[in-house]
Amino acid sequence: MTVRLGALRALIAGHDLAAVIVAKPENRRYFSGFTGSSGLLLVSADRARLITDFRYTEQADQEAPAFTVVRHGSDMYETLAAEVKTAGGGRIGFESDFATWETHQKMSAAIGDLAPLHLDRLRMVKDEAELAALGVAVRLADQAFGHILSFIKPGVSERDIALELEFFMRKNGAEKAAFDIIVASGPRSALPHGRAGDRLIAAGDFVTMDFGAVYDGYHSDITRTVVAGKATARQREIYSLVQAAQRAGLEAVAAGRTGREVDEAARQVIAGAGYGDYFGHGLGHGVGLAIHEEPRLSPSGDEVLAPNMTVTVEPGVYLPDWGGVRIEDTVVVTADGVRILTASSKELIQLD
Ligand SMILES: [Mn+2]
């Protein structure tokens, strides 16, 4: 936490602020260790306060030893105002990408001059403990994928596949699924984010599964597309194309590259084959305490990649009324390339 608080304080100084209020749950946890569902951090050059309510004061003391825990009553902003006052005057930073209009109104009524700030970029580069947790989250998803292959059969519903994946991951140590599991089969596999529904798997369907596990707060994210039977020539063609694009994306990942450059490397493979219009989303995203975070690998990805950033690489081709393929790995950026955490096979799996 010392390193993380140091980076936060450098940001405060750089913006000429007296202090910063941290409310976004991922950031609150990142800078303090506190995992409760309610509370605010108030951090200045020489103070670190964690303001929370009766339910969480003891937990906060245990989880956030670098912070002085302050219990608030019915009005959290009254307590915040009192803390800000004792910290001296000056502008206070707040997370403008998280506060609602109402929250902003309450905070500015209570403490006055506020400066908008984004803190998420401070979480992009992971330390060893974070990489270890992420590694476990990835392994749980890999194991779940291995498990589900024998479960997928004609007649089984998408919903049952999603439930089985989630049950397996939680049974084996995941805190929860990283997000609502996507299982999209047959023509529905053309929906990039098709939530698992009642559709029954039919022989020969593509089955796209996009899921992940949360371990110690860290999210993994994997997508695999398999065929519930024997693949047609067309299915093989589209699968090979996405596989080639994913390989190109992985090969482009390295410190010093921008998210845009990596996205472009994969995108031009798909566009070159004439399917550019059918890959309508970004190539990938940062992943960590949040399932989607900075940096973005997309046509608007300005961020320059650095060692130990963790991102997904997930191209797809989606053909309306026919089906689609997406292949996604969770990876770590290294000085000269990439370390792929996801270990599940990317060869076309035909479940006969
Ligand atoms: Mn993803």
Side-chain angles (χ1 to χ4, degrees), residues 1-2 10 27 49 51 61 81 98 106-108 112 115-116 132 138 184 188 246 261 277:
M1 294 306 153
T2 318
N27 290 335
R49 298 275 192 268
I51 300 166
D61 269 328
F98 181 70
K106 283 182 195 162
M107 282 195 298
S108 64
V138 169
R188 287 194 78 244
Q246 212 254 352
E261 287 166 339
D277 288 345

Side-chain angles (χ1 to χ4, degrees), residues 24 97 118-126 284-298 300-303 305 308-312:
K24 191 186 278 191
D97 58 345
H118 289 184
L119 303 180
D120 291 2
R121 293 184 69 259
L122 295 175
R123 303 202 319 268
M124 288 191 301
V125 174
K126 273 60 177 177
H285 52 86
V287 63
L289 284 173
I291 181 63
H292 296 123
E293 58 182 46
E294 301 300 325
R296 308 285 162 168
L297 308 183
S298 80
S300 58
D302 297 328
E303 200 69 54
L305 300 182
N308 289 355
M309 287 183 181
T310 47
V311 296
T312 68

Side-chain angles (χ1 to χ4, degrees), residues 179 193 210-211 220-223 283-287 291-292 311-314 326 328-330:
F179 49 89
H193 272 189
D210 184 349
F211 60 98
S220 60
D221 199 357
I222 177 177
T223 306
L283 180 67
H285 52 86
V287 63
I291 181 63
H292 296 123
V311 296
T312 68
V313 176
E314 49 176 312
R326 181 168 62 258
E328 172 181 35
D329 289 331
T330 301

Side-chain angles (χ1 to χ4, degrees), residues 1 12 20 26 35 51 80 83 85 112 118 208 214 226 230 249 257 271 276 280 290 326 352:
M1 294 306 153
I12 296 170
V20 63
E26 302 92 280
T35 63
I51 300 166
L80 176 67
E83 287 296 327
K85 203 168 284 173
H118 289 184
T208 296
V214 178
V226 302
K230 195 149 172 50
R257 298 255 169 79
R326 181 168 62 258
D352 284 322

Side-chain angles (χ1 to χ4, degrees), residues 38-92:
S38 180
L40 296 174
L41 308 182
L42 179 67
V43 177
S44 64
D46 55 1
R47 286 169 184 233
R49 298 275 192 268
L50 197 171
I51 300 166
T52 189
D53 64 73
F54 170 79
R55 295 170 299 166
Y56 287 124
T57 48
E58 191 178 344
Q59 179 183 333
D61 269 328
Q62 290 166 2
E63 291 181 334
F67 282 71
T68 303
V69 176
V70 179
R71 180 176 149 188
H72 71 76
S74 59
D75 187 349
M76 178 165 69
Y77 296 103
E78 202 175 283
T79 308
L80 176 67
E83 287 296 327
V84 166
K85 203 168 284 173
T86 59
R91 294 221 303 165
I92 309 290

